[in-house]
Amino acid sequence: MSASSVLLFPEMVLKVSEDGFEADNEVKMMRFLEGKLIVPEVYAYEKEGGKAYLLMSRLKGETIPQSRMQEIGKEALLLLESAGKELIPSRIELRTRLSWAWENIEKGEADMENCEPETYGKNGFRDPMALWDWLSENAPAEDDLTLTHGDLCLNNLILTKEGIGFFDLGKCALTDRNQDIAILLRDIRHQTGIFDEEKFVREAGFAYDKKKIRWYHLLDELF
């Protein structure tokens, strides 16, 4: 949705982004998750001239090695689950995500090139508007609610000395679990190759809903 720039310092990070929901939500969720998960600590948050300035602690550690991507991915899902869903201060419904997707289409930001090869074209959708129409008509029930990261890619995780750290939390909220599962499966597949996705999900202790996962995959094509 909104582009951000990040300035790294030895012990801190300054994130500058557009003033809006994601910027506010990131701060809200980092404060809520303090002591529950490993997330950056908020030092200061200010707004001026349509920009949001977030000064936070810098999580130190290593990126996820390819050999451990499945292991760490499962653990990340379980950690989010373990945080509980009581009193989560943010809830992002499907209709909200669909409205964001429509805004991206209107602004010409739904890129048809940077997508899975089967999404558009001969055996896919005509264009982003056709995809959005299908998503709207086939929206699944939100019946598996939990704390989700909202953009659970491996590059939004870090291996610290204390465990898995989470950052880039602008879309973190109470949402259907398959939002995170779909993004995570695709990211692991892109980085390691084809693997048994159903086995992965079931070994993590969750139900495998192929239709829902596909729906969330396709929704993310509009971002």
Side-chain angles (χ1 to χ4, degrees), residues 38 59-62 64 157-166:
I38 300 172
L59 296 182
K60 295 185 178 181
E62 302 175 352
I64 313 302
L157 304 175
I158 187 170
L159 286 178
T160 73
K161 291 181 179 179
E162 294 76 26
I164 299 173
F166 299 79

Side-chain angles (χ1 to χ4, degrees), residues 27-137:
V27 172
K28 182 195 304 183
M29 292 305 297
M30 283 197 296
R31 286 172 171 158
F32 171 74
L33 291 170
E34 188 174 353
K36 299 179 179 70
L37 297 175
I38 300 172
V39 298
E41 180 183 352
V42 177
Y43 290 154
Y45 183 56
E46 300 291 340
K47 302 180 185 184
E48 184 176 332
K51 296 291 184 182
Y53 299 85
L54 169 60
L55 185 66
M56 55 189 156
S57 63
R58 181 173 179 177
L59 296 182
K60 295 185 178 181
E62 302 175 352
T63 57
I64 313 302
Q66 190 179 68
S67 62
R68 298 188 64 195
M69 285 180 176
Q70 291 193 40
E71 170 200 346
I72 299 302
K74 291 174 193 174
E75 187 175 343
L77 289 170
L78 290 169
L79 283 169
L80 289 161
E81 171 78 9
S82 72
K85 52 187 175 184
E86 294 77 19
L87 305 177
I88 294 175
S90 183
R91 167 82 168 97
I92 300 178
E93 298 180 336
L94 276 188
R95 60 183 178 181
T96 300
R97 290 184 181 276
L98 283 168
S99 70
W100 291 344
W102 182 255
E103 290 173 9
N104 281 352
I105 292 172
E106 288 188 318
K107 292 186 290 188
E109 295 178 358
D111 185 2
M112 292 177 62
E113 301 300 324
N114 188 27
C115 292
E116 298 295 300
E118 66 274 12
T119 299
Y120 298 108
K122 182 178 179 181
N123 297 314
F125 296 92
R126 181 184 68 253
D127 54 29
M129 290 183 68
L131 172 54
W132 189 91
D133 286 341
W134 183 89
L135 290 166
S136 299
E137 293 169 3

